[in-house]
């Protein structure tokens, strides 16, 4: 009841009363369930197949320990709790590896070290954790903070749209929050994202002296954006690359089902980086005369 009171107070627009708690309580876990039951809500973050947790996310978190799962001697209460939690989470189509983190200690506490090649397994476990620590701690979504600091230094930045990244920390704007409107487009479908940019874009100016700038921040691995390059735009919308932070990998963009394994890895790693584009409209009145 105390948690419900705090949540209701936090989300209420007016001071709460006992009547508010009885008639319009905010029950966060219930609201979370209702939100995740709607596919259209999950589509804003990205949709995954129902087997994503089992086939990709769980092995990614367990590493060498995945090989020990078939040798678990019995179903312990921690293991049953982990399995049931993963099963419930697999019912929803937005599946990220981090959602399984509470289940990992429960699984690891239920496995036994192999009696043979114990040192080899322990060495593999250490190497796996060091590698994942570097990958996930430095490179995965590693450009979000540097890019936000870059935008804070841009005097003309009035609007910034972030697409297919972690939520941008607006507190890093160094007091510029009132002048720079930040919009998190999350995993919005490409066509809808372009429509949003078109509504906010300013007209192309060859002198580049527009005082109100609209920017898009997105992974360089998003090849969909190539067609909007300012050098050869195929539409009325144009993107001018202004800055890229190279030490950024978008591991949420591993679409093996559509692109294939090798092509996906080549795209995500070969085109690593978080890029900032300035967004323009190609307006007829602003085109140079021939």
């Amino acid at each position: 009841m105390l948690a419900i009171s705090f949540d209701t107070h936090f989300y209420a627009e007016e001071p709460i009363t006992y009547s508010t708690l009885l008639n319009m309580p905010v029950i966060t876990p219930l609201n979370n369930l209702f939100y995740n039951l709607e596919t259209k809500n999950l589509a804003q973050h990205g949709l995954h197949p129902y087997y994503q947790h089992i086939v990709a996310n769980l092995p990614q978190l367990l590493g060498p320990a995945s090989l020990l799962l078939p040798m678990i001697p019995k179903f312990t209460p921690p293991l049953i709790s982990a399995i049931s939690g993963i099963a419930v989470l697999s019912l929803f189509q937005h599946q990220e590896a981090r959602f399984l983190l509470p289940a990992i200690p429960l699984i690891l506490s239920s496995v036994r070290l192999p009696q043979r090649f114990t040192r080899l397994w322990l060495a593999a476990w250490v190497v796996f954790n060091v590698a994942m620590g570097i990958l996930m701690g430095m490179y995965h979504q590693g450009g979000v903070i540097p890019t936000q600091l870059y935008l804070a230094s841009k005097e003309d930045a009035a609007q910034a749209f972030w697409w297919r990244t972690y939520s941008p920390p607006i507190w890093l704007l160094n007091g510029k929050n009132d002048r720079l409107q930040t919009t998190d487009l999350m995993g919005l479908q490409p066509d809808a994202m372009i429509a949003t940019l078109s509504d906010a874009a300013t007209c192309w100016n060859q002198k580049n002296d527009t005082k109100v700038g609209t920017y898009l921040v997105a992974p360089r691995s998003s090849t969909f954006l190539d067609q909007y390059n300012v050098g050869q735009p195929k539409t009325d919308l144009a993107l001018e690359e202004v800055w890229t932070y190279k030490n950024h990998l978008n591991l949420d963009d591993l679409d093996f089902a559509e692109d294939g394994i090798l092509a996906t890895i080549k795209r995500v790693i070969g085109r690593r980086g978080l890029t900032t584009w300035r967004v323009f409209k190609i307006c007829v009145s602003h085109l140079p005369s021939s």
Side-chain angles (χ1 to χ4, degrees):
M1 189 63 187
L2 186 62
I4 294 176
S5 300
F6 281 137
D7 287 344
T8 304
H9 173 73
F10 182 83
Y11 290 105
E13 297 181 356
E14 300 177 355
I16 65 171
T17 62
Y18 287 112
S19 176
T20 306
L21 289 174
L22 291 175
N23 299 315
M24 295 182 295
V26 175
I27 306 175
T28 304
L30 189 61
N31 290 346
N32 177 276
L33 176 62
F34 290 154
Y35 181 89
N36 283 281
L37 287 174
E38 290 287 342
T39 303
K40 65 180 181 180
N41 293 336
L42 299 182
Q44 299 180 58
H45 307 271
L47 298 178
H48 304 98
Y50 290 108
Y51 54 79
Q52 178 80 14
H53 279 323
I54 302 298
V55 174
N57 295 341
L58 194 59
Q60 174 184 331
L61 294 174
L62 290 176
S66 302
L67 302 176
L68 303 180
L69 295 181
M71 296 182 285
I72 292 179
K74 60 180 180 179
F75 284 91
T76 61
L79 183 61
I80 294 173
S81 177
I83 292 174
S84 60
I86 294 172
V88 171
L89 290 173
S90 296
L91 297 175
F92 304 101
Q93 281 191 274
H94 180 64
Q95 302 185 10
E96 298 181 31
R98 61 190 176 97
F99 297 168
L100 302 185
L101 289 177
I104 300 305
L106 301 176
I107 295 175
L108 293 178
S109 66
S110 302
V111 301
R112 291 181 179 177
L113 291 178
Q115 295 181 353
R116 300 177 60 187
F117 308 111
T118 303
R119 291 186 177 180
L120 179 61
W121 187 90
L122 288 175
W125 179 249
V126 171
V127 170
F128 166 76
N129 279 278
V130 170
M132 290 299 291
I134 295 173
L135 177 64
M136 304 303 291
M138 296 178 59
Y139 288 95
H140 177 54
Q141 299 287 349
V144 173
I145 290 178
T147 300
Q148 188 72 305
L149 294 175
Y150 168 77
L151 287 173
S153 68
K154 296 289 290 182
E155 291 297 330
D156 69 325
Q159 295 188 85
F161 294 89
W162 293 68
W163 186 52
R164 292 183 173 177
T165 70
Y166 282 173
S167 296
I170 59 175
W171 57 271
L172 286 174
L173 291 176
N174 194 26
K176 198 178 178 181
N177 308 47
D178 56 338
R179 291 182 288 122
L180 174 54
Q181 180 181 347
T182 301
T183 303
D184 185 3
L185 298 177
M186 298 181 287
L188 194 65
Q189 292 298 314
D191 291 341
M193 182 271 297
I194 290 298
T196 302
L197 290 183
S198 297
D199 292 337
T202 55
C203 288
W204 167 253
N205 187 332
Q206 283 192 317
K207 295 181 180 180
N208 199 24
D209 59 0
T210 305
K211 296 182 179 180
V212 178
T214 300
Y215 291 88
L216 169 68
V217 179
R220 196 175 186 83
S221 59
S222 299
T223 54
F224 168 81
L225 298 174
D226 291 351
Q227 61 187 305
Y228 298 98
N229 188 289
V230 74
Q232 47 181 5
K234 298 180 180 179
T235 66
D236 291 338
L237 189 73
L239 302 177
E240 180 187 24
E241 180 179 338
V242 294
W243 195 69
T244 295
Y245 184 81
K246 289 291 291 182
N247 295 337
H248 176 97
L249 285 174
N250 181 28
L251 298 181
D252 298 320
D253 193 23
L254 299 178
D255 196 350
F256 296 127
E258 182 174 337
D259 299 334
I261 296 177
L262 292 179
T264 298
I265 293 176
K266 182 178 179 181
R267 173 175 59 82
V268 172
I269 297 179
R271 295 188 48 155
R272 63 188 178 278
L274 187 62
T275 298
T276 303
W277 287 275
R278 191 164 183 175
V279 185
F280 295 99
K281 286 180 182 177
I282 306 300
C283 305
V284 176
S285 58
H286 286 73
L287 291 176
S289 56
S290 55

